Every structure is written in C-alpha cells, then in structure tokens.
Amino acid sequence: MTYLGRAIAFFALAIAAIGAHPAGAEAPPSLADRFEFKMISAGNNRPGVALDQLSSAVAVGLGRGLAPAEIAAATEYSMADIASRIDELIGEGLVSNDGDTFTLSFPVMTVAETPASMPVDPVLVAATADLIERELPDIRESYEALAGFEHVPFEDASLLILSDVLLDAWQINDVESEILGAERPARGGGNYYLALLEKADPAEEAFGIYGNHFALIGNVATGLYGNQRYSGPPNLVNLTEEFLTTQFGYEEGVDPASVRLQLAETLIAVHHRADTNLGSREIALLRHFALIDSDDRVTVPVFGMPTYNALTAIAAEFRPAYVALLRQHLPALRLHYAASSFATQGVSFEEYFIWWYHLYYSRVTDALVERGTIMIPATINSTYIGVLGSGGE
C-alpha cells in the first residue's frame, strides 16, 4: 500500500484499530458478562459471525473445556443457540473441533491467567520508557513543526504523541511486519486478529489497554485515544441520545453520529476562526468536552494528511532502535508462549504476540505517566480531529 493509501486507510478506521464490539443478545452474568471482544483489522476484514454475548459465552465456555451442553446449562441459552453459534464460529475459522473436543484459534484472556501466560517484563518496559525519554528532545523538536498542533502544548499532546504515535496506531503495522513477517490470520472472508478479554475494572478498558477509536463521517474523523474511551467521561465517541436530550436539550430521536459531525465541523470552523454562524449549543458542548476553552480557543489538534505523514515520519525515525529492543526480547517471549496455555489451546505465536504487544505498550505508557513524561489530559482520553486532504491545517 502506498504512503497516501495507508494514511487514507487510517482516517477510514482501517489501521490497527482496537475496539469492543457492542453486545447483542444478553447472557446471564454467570459466564461471560465481564468479557469483551477486541479486534485488529484493516479495511473490510471483519468477522462474518456476530461477536455478541452469545459468542462470548461460547468462547469462555469452550476455553474452560466445557461441553456445549454444559455451556447451555451455565448460561440458560438453549442448546440449539449454542450449537448454531459453534457451527458459525467453526465456519469462520475461530473454532475447530476434533470429535467432542473444541479448540479456539484466538485467545480468551482472563485476569487470573493472562499475567502468567502473557507476562510483560518490567525490565523491557523500563528500557522502552528510557529509550523514549532519550529520544524526547528530537521528538519535541519535530512536534514544534506540526501543523495543526501549534496551539497545543506538547504536554497536552504527550499521550497522543508518545503512546499512540510512537507505540500504537502509527507504529503497530510496521512493528507487526518487521517482527512477525506474516499476514494476519485468514478467517471467514477476511484477515484479522481477535481476542476476548476479561474486564476487571468497569471504569477502564480490559487490562488497561490504550487504544484508538475513529468515527469517520464524510471527510472528518474524530479520533479518541486512551483506555477509558467508552466508560470514561462523555466525549465525541461515546455520545448518547440520552446525554444529548437530558443535558443539552436535543429532541428525542436525535442521531449522536450527526451531532458528532456537527461538533467536529464546528471545531474545525473555530480552529480556522471561520466567520460563520456557529451554533451556541455546539459551542456549549465543545466547552463541556474541554475541546475549546472559555475564550473559544481550540485545545486539541486539528490536522490533515500532511501532518498525518509528518507523524508517520516521527514514528519511523523512532522505529529502528525500538524494533531492535523488541528483537532482543523475542527469544524470551517465544519461550513464554511455548509454556503458556495459549499455545496448548491452539493460539498461534503471531496472535499471542500481537495481544502481548498491546499489554506491553500500555504498561510502557503507564510507566511514562508515572514518570511525569506523559500527562493524562483532564478529559482522560486524548481527542484529535483529522480531515482527509489538507483541510484541517
């Protein structure tokens, strides 16, 4: 894929986005209520089976070695529902069976077992944080030249730059390519990684993993980076009809997606100081979200493709030393994988690595927060607005 093609895919929600799939059918809380599916995919590579609470219950049950009838008894789903969903998961390539034995091709990551089966070496975490801090002067110098960031102090963008750009969305595809050199697993009609993760803290995403959420409408993308994207304070991503109607007087039936686009377009207009008739309700919402201050100055990055490319260059400059550090740890990680329950359950090393990587860069992010190198925004998550083309700058 060309450089521009990768950038457009990024703004189209296509590059290494990790996100929960909303629950469908409800399951009793006895088996799978604390779990959420996460996926890494590109383009239209999406599962052909519903990743709802029924799939979650089936995956947790099969991962525990339960027979289909035992899963039905534990969840009160009918045996027909369980059997039908298992057949769909087998057809998707997510489950295989040998007689009465079922094997998952993706990890079910539990709070009790994952720290031992997928350990993140604190020495590696500290070494990575040290590397970032050594590179910090050059990173800050590059930051000062970023169009669309001029009004945002580096500290306010530090979560986005030092975690998302260096370690996650702008970096992960190339790390995946250089370390693994393998295609994402073929499942159904696409290629994607999948995991089912247990949540320990309802206020935080599973395992405290930091990730991106992009909402693209027209040529405007609202981006949110953090580990409380959905359960944290109200933001552009988790807008609900109830919040809009009860807190800001919108009429019942309002579409949160349309309001999100209005807010993004208003933010861009404020950023450009456009002489337009800006809606007072949209301005009030943007102030509520701390996206503009009391003087109506934008507080978050607003940028287009040239700046996206500049951020990609920052990640690329950091990559050689970063990948070299990861390669040093790779033999130890392969040993951990071979001894883990994931290996015996049929999860590939590539899938194991990609989910370990999310745990790892999230712990690096936490370490940088503890050191004061990264500042968590008052809004908990880092918001930015992307515009296809150069219209954001």
Side-chain angles (χ1 to χ4, degrees):
M1 184 181 291
T2 66
Y3 209 56
L4 178 60
R6 291 180 57 195
I8 292 173
F10 172 84
F11 281 123
L13 319 188
I15 291 186
I18 178 171
H21 289 261
E26 292 186 1
S30 57
L31 193 61
D33 63 310
R34 298 188 311 276
F35 288 81
E36 61 186 16
F37 280 104
K38 299 283 188 179
M39 181 179 62
I40 304 170
S41 66
N44 293 320
N45 290 283
R46 299 282 170 171
V49 59
L51 297 180
D52 53 17
Q53 288 289 5
L54 173 55
S55 289
S56 179
V58 168
V60 172
L62 294 180
R64 293 179 180 178
L66 299 181
E70 294 174 309
I71 298 174
T75 62
E76 298 178 8
Y77 281 120
S78 72
M79 185 60 197
D81 286 339
I82 298 295
S84 176
R85 185 53 55 85
I86 288 176
D87 285 344
E88 292 175 2
L89 292 168
I90 290 173
E92 184 71 12
L94 296 171
V95 173
S96 60
N97 69 312
D98 181 9
D100 293 330
T101 301
F102 294 89
T103 303
L104 302 176
S105 66
F106 62 94
V108 176
M109 297 168 59
T110 66
V111 172
E113 298 174 356
T114 299
S117 294
M118 199 177 280
V120 176
D121 185 351
V123 174
L124 176 63
V125 169
T128 308
D130 290 344
L131 175 62
I132 290 173
E133 291 183 333
R134 286 197 300 272
E135 299 290 333
L136 197 53
D138 290 339
I139 293 168
R140 293 187 68 127
E141 182 178 353
S142 297
Y143 178 84
E144 296 301 324
L146 292 174
F149 283 77
E150 306 94 333
H151 58 289
V152 182
F154 179 82
E155 290 72 21
D156 292 349
S158 57
L159 177 63
L160 178 65
I161 300 298
L162 300 183
S163 183
D164 195 13
V165 173
L166 292 190
L167 307 176
D168 190 8
W170 275 263
Q171 192 74 272
I172 189 171
N173 274 12
D174 292 287
V175 168
E176 179 185 339
S177 176
E178 292 194 29
I179 295 291
L180 299 178
E183 293 291 329
R184 289 172 181 172
R187 288 164 167 158
N191 297 77
Y192 59 90
Y193 289 114
L194 185 72
L196 184 61
L197 285 66
E198 183 179 14
K199 285 172 62 74
D201 183 350
E204 195 174 77
E205 296 181 42
F207 295 94
I209 289 175
Y210 293 83
N212 283 281
H213 184 110
F214 302 101
L216 182 69
I217 306 177
N219 70 335
V220 178
T222 56
L224 194 71
Y225 184 74
N227 63 6
Q228 295 184 39
R229 294 167 293 172
Y230 311 111
S231 57
N235 55 59
L236 290 184
V237 165
N238 66 13
L239 275 179
T240 63
E241 178 185 345
E242 180 182 7
F243 172 80
L244 292 170
T245 55
T246 60
Q247 300 296 316
F248 284 87
Y250 283 84
E251 295 181 0
E252 291 187 6
V254 62
D255 179 13
S258 67
V259 175
R260 184 183 300 115
L261 177 60
Q262 290 172 359
L263 292 174
E265 290 179 337
T266 300
L267 192 66
I268 293 168
V270 173
H271 173 67
H272 288 303
R273 300 189 179 278
D275 185 15
T276 57
N277 184 22
L278 301 177
S280 59
R281 189 161 53 184
E282 285 74 26
I283 292 293
L285 264 168
L286 292 174
R287 287 176 181 163
H288 180 81
F289 294 152
L291 301 180
I292 60 176
D293 62 20
S294 59
D295 294 321
D296 292 344
R297 291 174 300 198
V298 175
T299 60
V300 299
V302 179
F303 60 89
M305 298 304 297
T307 294
Y308 169 83
N309 291 338
L311 292 169
T312 301
I314 292 174
E317 189 170 344
F318 177 70
R319 189 175 305 125
Y322 180 48
V323 169
L325 186 61
L326 284 173
R327 287 191 188 282
Q328 292 175 17
H329 184 74
L330 206 55
L333 189 62
R334 288 188 179 277
L335 290 176
H336 285 303
Y337 163 73
S340 74
S341 58
F342 297 116
T344 58
Q345 290 166 4
V347 175
S348 70
F349 174 75
E350 289 77 16
E351 193 125 36
Y352 173 93
F353 173 86
I354 210 68
W355 295 111
W356 168 87
Y357 183 79
H358 281 82
L359 297 177
Y360 151 72
Y361 77 68
S362 296
R363 300 296 77 80
V364 173
T365 301
D366 289 339
L368 290 169
V369 171
E370 292 173 6
R371 296 182 183 196
T373 306
I374 286 178
M375 185 185 77
I376 297 296
T379 52
I380 306 300
N381 303 291
S382 185
T383 303
Y384 56 98
I385 303 297
V387 184
L388 291 181
S390 59
E393 299 169 8

